[in-house]
Amino acid sequence: MQLPAYILIYPILWLISMLPFRLLYAVSDGLFVLIYHIIGYRKKVVKENLRLAFPKKSDDELNRIRKKFYHHLCDMVMESIKSMTISESEMKKRFTFSNIELLQKLEQENRSIALMCAHYGSWEWIFILQTYMNNKGYAIYKRLANKHFDGLVKRIRAKFNSYLITTKESIPILLQSKREGKLTICGFVSDQSPKAEKAFHWNEFMGITVPVHTGAEMLAKKIDMSVVFFGVKKLKRGYYETTFKTIAYHPNDYPNYEITDMFLDLVEEQINEAPEYYLWTHKRWKHRDKVPADYKK
């Protein structure tokens, strides 16, 4: 059934991607009515997450954040589809970098880069970054169940010289690049919840103790990659600005998990500044009742 589903859905996605942005966001507005008012997609999860993260906010404040979040989520869906046909010049106009020179300097200093981010703002268009860099670009992702749509997503990223690799592929690929003396830049979306029983590290996130992904830090240490955080600010509908911040030039100079904790602090700053742009539909705090007995803050 994978191929028939792809054959049926792909033309619809392509036609949507060809819409001018004015009409694209009109479709987004219609999608908002569908998933928020009619389907109620994960509204209970979003409501619970917001209450956990902001216990001092009133119900009215949380409801306003929730509604703004769903508007943004629908825009993200449409922008992701638009990636199929958007031109390089159009994407560069809409997804800008305030200090790209930070990464370019690391590149000039012969450093590979581990680029850490959260599910915040827009991470879908970050692959335009590779048009400014010489380091070969990779992003860690989870392979889609439908191999045809998986191939489509890979082709979209490769259009701008970014390549998707799974967690299992990351170590051999990056180690081989290091042995060959090739610089890389690898993106990690590291804010979601790992399985509690497989977690190496726990810490507070938005005031709640949870298991934390540490793979980006451990891989950066293994490959000796400078660790950089990128934060995204939504300027207005369809326009984003990204700012980079170096977390660790030499990651092995830091105790285990300190880099990960610094990353989480930066993510919290973003969320507190404009919470409506965080991905509240994920059950990020689902393991909060499984804190190990030996955990110390």
Side-chain angles (χ1 to χ4, degrees):
M1 291 296 293
Q2 289 192 358
L3 183 57
Y6 179 78
I7 292 173
L8 177 66
I9 297 173
Y10 175 81
I12 299 172
L13 297 178
W14 185 84
L15 287 173
I16 293 173
S17 77
M18 292 297 294
L19 293 174
F21 275 95
R22 178 174 56 84
L23 292 180
L24 192 79
Y25 289 124
V27 175
S28 178
D29 291 339
L31 182 62
F32 168 77
V33 173
L34 177 65
I35 73 166
Y36 185 78
H37 290 290
I38 299 175
I39 297 176
Y41 173 69
R42 293 202 169 192
K43 286 179 76 172
K44 289 183 179 179
V45 172
V46 174
K47 184 176 182 179
E48 181 183 15
N49 283 343
L50 286 170
R51 173 55 64 199
L52 287 169
F54 301 107
K56 295 182 180 180
K57 289 187 182 297
S58 68
D59 288 343
D60 285 344
E61 288 177 296
L62 295 179
N63 287 335
R64 283 195 292 271
I65 293 170
R66 185 174 62 174
K67 195 170 183 178
K68 287 180 180 180
F69 159 70
Y70 276 97
H71 274 294
H72 174 67
L73 178 65
C74 293
D75 283 357
M76 283 274 294
V77 171
M78 292 297 106
E79 290 162 4
S80 180
I81 296 172
K82 186 66 176 178
S83 300
M84 294 173 63
T85 56
I86 192 171
S87 67
E88 179 179 327
S89 60
E90 182 71 22
M91 189 176 287
K92 283 184 172 180
K93 181 175 73 173
R94 291 175 172 273
F95 199 93
T96 59
F97 302 98
S98 67
N99 61 339
I100 188 67
E101 62 275 3
L102 186 150
L103 295 189
Q104 292 170 337
K105 185 174 185 293
L106 288 172
E107 188 176 77
Q108 292 166 5
E109 293 169 350
N110 208 38
R111 299 293 298 167
S112 286
I113 302 165
L115 195 59
M116 297 182 71
C117 73
H119 288 89
Y120 182 90
S122 174
W123 59 94
E124 284 295 330
W125 285 350
I126 185 62
F127 55 87
I128 194 63
L129 172 66
Q130 288 308 121
T131 61
Y132 299 90
M133 304 292 294
N134 292 315
N135 287 27
K136 188 166 184 178
Y138 295 102
I140 308 299
Y141 88 119
K142 184 177 181 180
R143 185 177 282 118
L144 300 180
N146 187 308
K147 64 180 181 181
H148 304 287
F149 283 109
D150 187 73
L152 174 62
V153 172
K154 285 185 174 181
R155 290 194 299 275
I156 292 171
R157 298 299 191 270
K159 185 168 63 173
F160 299 112
N161 298 317
S162 292
Y163 301 93
L164 298 180
I165 56 177
T166 64
T167 302
K168 289 183 179 179
E169 294 170 328
S170 60
I171 292 178
I173 287 175
L174 295 176
L175 279 176
Q176 181 64 28
S177 295
K178 183 176 177 62
R179 284 193 291 267
E180 294 175 356
K182 297 177 180 177
L183 298 179
T184 56
I185 180 168
C186 190
F188 302 84
V189 186
S190 301
D191 60 310
Q192 295 302 303
S193 180
K195 294 180 179 179
E197 62 273 14
K198 294 185 177 181
F200 294 99
H201 182 54
W202 293 68
N203 200 359
E204 287 190 1
F205 181 51
M206 299 300 293
I208 305 161
T209 304
V210 291
V212 179
H213 275 296
T214 58
E217 177 180 341
M218 296 302 106
L219 187 56
K221 288 183 173 182
K222 189 176 186 68
I223 310 294
D224 188 30
M225 307 171 79
S226 294
V227 182
V228 176
F229 172 80
F230 81 81
V232 180
K233 183 176 182 179
K234 189 168 187 176
L235 304 177
K236 60 180 179 178
R237 202 173 199 184
Y239 289 85
Y240 304 89
E241 181 183 67
T242 291
T243 300
F244 301 103
K245 182 174 183 178
T246 301
I247 296 178
Y249 189 90
H250 291 296
N252 287 295
D253 291 344
Y254 292 78
N256 282 346
Y257 314 128
E258 184 174 341
I259 289 172
T260 298
D261 291 343
M262 288 191 289
F263 161 73
L264 284 181
D265 288 343
L266 291 168
V267 175
E268 284 192 4
E269 287 180 19
Q270 283 190 123
I271 294 173
N272 285 318
E273 183 176 346
E276 61 268 29
Y277 301 132
Y278 189 61
L279 188 63
W280 296 104
T281 48
H282 282 197
K283 296 182 179 180
R284 180 61 186 92
W285 293 276
K286 62 184 176 181
H287 297 309
R288 63 187 183 279
D289 59 345
K290 300 177 183 178
V291 181
D294 60 350
Y295 167 76
K296 293 181 180 180
K297 183 176 177 181

